[in-house]
């Protein structure tokens, strides 16, 4: 009992320091992993000791996820460097004309499509610096514009294969066991994005048919060579292969890179005479390097999360805290689902339900307890991830977006909170329905 209380106190201290910005999660999670193991009485040396399990095995436990992140970032860099991402955004803006509602919906779809493949702060800065001014220029208030971007971002990430590789590795599942939920989550998040757009447009008096005269930001210069039409399908190639044909995630990402490479090489010459094999090989190499840089934070995150996960699932630690966790997490399915639907805000500020932080280790531990089917555990945590990815004030992309339009992350959180909470509740409901038919 004393050990469990000690672990709880350490956990709360680390959450406090992360919320206050005194410690980053890259530093706090390894300290938490070490502290949990020490408090639980795990020996330092030996095959089952702290040095081997937490620091050796933990660091490499998500190696497959590291690779998926880097390959996905490589594909994302290829899309950026060949103009595919910008062409998708520009095409959506042109189709919308000067109609705020249509422009916003089309840009939402375009951003969502991009983020099925790409991710990271660099891509947010590039794409948001184009899409947000376009929305503002047709009369959409800046706070709504960045909120819509975040919803679109989260919608696309629902089908991001690199993310799903990480999610499933946490609890040792295969993507095929949860791909139905991935598709449903995509639909739920997209639906709530539309609800947010229509509700906030009506509430703020945004004109639905024509542009407002005032412009809050200048639209950036979008004069660039368009990517070939077939190249615009690049982000959906990995999704179709993984979900439709059950191709493994990493080969599917490589297929996306190959599709991008050859469609631009073979079809891009009409739009840009400088396109040739030598140039494309150089661009592919540059994109690979850019991808490593873009994916570095994701790799670091998975390294420290792997350490925490190994610490929490150590048999000695489990024997210390499993009884306490059983009292926290309901064992009956209905109450288990209600627990996550109601408490999904605990994913904020790197909280205990945040699968990109401490919640990853807790998810692995709860899955090992076998109180409900493992896919239910994972998908409930991912349902709460909607709260984190859209609203968490500690996200680097939230900070950048808020600063970009002259507001703050707390104001942004207040704007989206109610909608995201409903999104989490609907996603958890979907988990319950799937559990009835698939995860008994």
């Amino acid at each position: 009992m004393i050990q469990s209380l000690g672990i709880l106190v350490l956990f709360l201290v680390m959450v406090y320091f992360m919320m206050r910005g005194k410690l980053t999660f890259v530093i706090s999670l390894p300290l938490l992993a070490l502290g949990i193991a020490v408090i639980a009485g795990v020996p330092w040396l030996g095959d089952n000791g702290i040095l081997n399990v937490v620091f050796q095995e933990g660091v490499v436990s998500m190696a497959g996820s590291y690779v998926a992140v880097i390959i996905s970032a490589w594909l994302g860099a290829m899309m950026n460097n060949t103009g595919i991402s910008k062409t998708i955004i520009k095409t959506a803006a042109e189709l919308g004309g000067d109609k705020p509602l249509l422009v916003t919906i089309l840009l939402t779809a375009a951003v969502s499509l991009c983020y099925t493949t790409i991710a990271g702060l660099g891509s947010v800065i590039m794409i948001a610096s184009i899409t947000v001014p376009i929305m503002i220029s047709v009369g959409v208030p800046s706070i709504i514009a960045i909120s819509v971007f975040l919803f679109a971002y989260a919608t696309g990430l629902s089908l991001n294969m690199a993310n799903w590789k990480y999610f499933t590795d946490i609890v040792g599942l295969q993507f095929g066991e949860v791909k139905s939920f991935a598709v449903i989550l995509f639909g739920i998040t997209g639906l709530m994005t539309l609800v947010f757009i229509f509700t906030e447009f009506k509430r703020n008096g945004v004109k639905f048919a024509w542009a407002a005269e005032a412009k809050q930001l200048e639209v950036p210069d979008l004069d660039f060579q368009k990517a070939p039409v077939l190249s615009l399908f690049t982000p959906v190639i990995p999704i179709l292969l993984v979900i439709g044909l059950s191709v493994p995630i990493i080969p599917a990402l490589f297929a996306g890179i190959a599709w991008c490479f050859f469609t631009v090489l073979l079809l891009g010459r009409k739009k840009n005479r400088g396109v040739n094999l030598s140039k494309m090989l150089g661009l592919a190499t540059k994109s690979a390097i850019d991808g490593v840089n873009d994916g570095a934070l994701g790799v670091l995150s998975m390294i420290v999360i792997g350490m925490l996960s190994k610490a929490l699932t150590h048999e000695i630690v489990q024997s210390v805290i499993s009884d306490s966790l059983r009292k926290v997490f309901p064992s009956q399915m209905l109450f288990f689902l209600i627990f996550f639907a109601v408490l999904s805000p605990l994913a904020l500020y790197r909280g205990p339900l945040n699968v990109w932080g401490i919640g990853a280790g807790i998810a692995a531990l709860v899955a090992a307890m076998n109180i409900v089917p493992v896919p239910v555990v994972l998908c409930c945590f991912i349902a709460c991830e909607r709260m984190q990815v859209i609203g968490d004030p500690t996200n680097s992309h939230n900070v950048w977006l808020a600063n970009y339009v002259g507001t703050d992350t707390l104001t942004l959180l207040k704007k989206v909170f109610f909608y995201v909470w409903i999104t989490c509740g609907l996603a958890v409901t979907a988990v319950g329905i799937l559990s009835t038919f698939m995860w008994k």
Side-chain angles (χ1 to χ4, degrees):
M1 184 63 180
I2 295 177
Q3 290 171 303
S4 295
L5 288 175
I7 290 172
L8 176 60
V9 170
L10 177 63
F11 169 80
L12 294 175
V13 168
M14 288 300 174
V15 170
Y16 172 78
F17 281 118
M18 283 191 286
M19 290 177 63
R20 294 295 301 272
K22 302 296 183 181
L23 283 177
T24 65
F25 72 97
V26 173
I27 301 299
S28 59
L29 293 194
L31 292 177
L32 181 59
L34 175 60
I36 288 172
V38 170
I39 292 172
V42 178
W44 283 92
L45 302 176
D47 292 341
N48 209 29
I50 292 174
L51 296 182
N52 187 58
V53 175
V54 177
F55 288 94
Q56 176 66 30
E57 296 179 5
V59 166
V60 299
S61 62
M62 293 188 176
S65 297
Y66 308 167
V67 174
V69 166
I70 293 173
I71 302 305
S72 178
W74 182 2
L75 175 55
M78 286 283 288
M79 288 177 57
N80 293 339
N81 292 333
T82 56
I84 292 174
S85 299
K86 290 182 178 180
T87 301
I88 291 172
I89 300 299
K90 183 180 179 182
T91 301
E94 290 174 342
L95 290 173
D98 61 354
K99 299 176 177 63
L101 180 63
L102 183 57
V103 167
T104 302
I105 290 176
L106 290 175
L107 286 178
T108 296
V111 171
S112 299
L113 177 61
C114 290
Y115 281 102
T116 58
T117 300
I118 64 178
L121 179 60
S123 68
V124 169
I125 293 173
M126 183 198 73
I127 294 178
S129 62
I130 299 173
T131 57
V132 171
I134 291 173
M135 284 188 277
I136 291 175
S137 72
V138 295
V140 180
S142 58
I143 187 67
I144 296 178
I146 61 173
S147 298
V148 169
F149 181 89
L150 285 169
F151 270 101
Y153 176 68
T155 300
L157 290 181
S158 303
L159 293 179
N160 189 292
M161 292 297 106
N163 280 3
W164 276 101
K165 175 62 177 171
Y166 163 69
F167 294 150
T168 52
D169 280 354
I170 290 174
V171 295
L173 290 175
Q174 297 296 318
F175 177 71
E177 299 177 75
V178 291
K179 69 179 180 181
S180 296
F181 178 71
V183 175
I184 293 172
L185 185 64
F186 176 82
I188 290 173
T189 310
L191 175 63
M192 285 306 301
T193 302
L194 292 176
V195 170
F196 177 85
I197 291 171
F198 280 97
T199 303
E200 292 298 322
F201 269 41
K202 184 176 182 181
R203 178 178 296 171
N204 289 272
V206 179
K207 297 179 181 180
F208 279 71
W210 55 85
E213 294 182 2
K215 295 185 178 182
Q216 301 181 44
L217 287 178
E218 183 180 351
V219 181
D221 181 13
L222 299 181
D223 185 19
F224 54 85
Q225 297 294 330
K226 286 188 176 181
V229 173
L230 284 180
S231 299
L232 304 186
F233 290 92
T234 296
V236 304
I237 296 300
I239 297 172
L240 292 176
L241 292 175
V242 173
I243 294 180
L245 301 177
S246 298
V247 174
I249 289 174
I250 292 176
L253 292 172
F254 274 119
I257 293 173
W259 177 274
C260 177
F261 182 94
F262 287 109
T263 54
V264 172
L265 173 64
L266 298 177
L267 304 176
R269 296 182 181 184
K270 294 181 180 180
K271 300 180 182 297
N272 186 349
R273 294 182 179 179
V275 173
N276 53 51
L277 180 59
S278 177
K279 182 175 180 178
M280 285 303 299
L281 289 172
L283 187 144
T285 302
K286 178 182 182 301
S287 298
I289 296 171
D290 291 343
V292 172
N293 292 330
D294 293 341
L297 181 59
V299 171
L300 280 174
S301 301
M302 293 174 188
I303 288 174
V304 298
I305 288 171
M307 295 169 66
L308 178 62
S309 180
K310 279 293 185 179
L312 284 171
T313 55
H314 193 288
E315 58 186 20
I316 296 177
V317 176
Q318 281 188 320
S319 66
V320 170
I321 65 176
S322 59
D323 289 340
S324 299
L325 277 181
R326 288 181 187 277
K327 295 176 182 178
V328 174
F329 289 91
S331 58
Q332 295 182 3
M333 180 66 72
L334 177 61
F335 293 108
F336 189 88
L337 297 171
I338 292 174
F339 176 91
F340 280 89
V342 173
L343 297 181
S344 56
L346 291 179
L348 295 171
Y349 294 100
R350 307 289 173 179
L353 299 186
N354 187 338
V355 76
W356 289 103
I358 295 170
I362 296 176
L365 183 55
V366 175
M369 291 162 54
N370 292 318
I371 55 178
V372 296
V374 174
V376 172
V377 175
L378 177 62
C379 291
C380 280
F381 273 90
I382 295 173
C384 295
E385 185 255 2
R386 305 287 84 185
M387 184 68 71
Q388 179 269 325
V389 73
I390 298 174
D392 196 334
T394 67
N395 289 334
S396 57
H397 54 264
N398 287 56
V399 173
W400 185 87
L401 286 165
N403 289 337
Y404 185 63
V405 298
T407 186
D408 59 86
T409 54
L410 185 58
T411 300
L412 179 56
L413 174 59
K414 291 178 180 178
K415 173 60 68 175
V416 302
F417 181 78
F418 178 73
Y419 299 94
V420 182
W421 203 352
I422 293 176
T423 303
C424 295
L426 292 174
V428 170
T429 301
V431 175
I433 295 172
L434 288 174
S435 68
T436 302
F437 298 100
M438 299 177 57
W439 304 322
K440 297 181 180 180

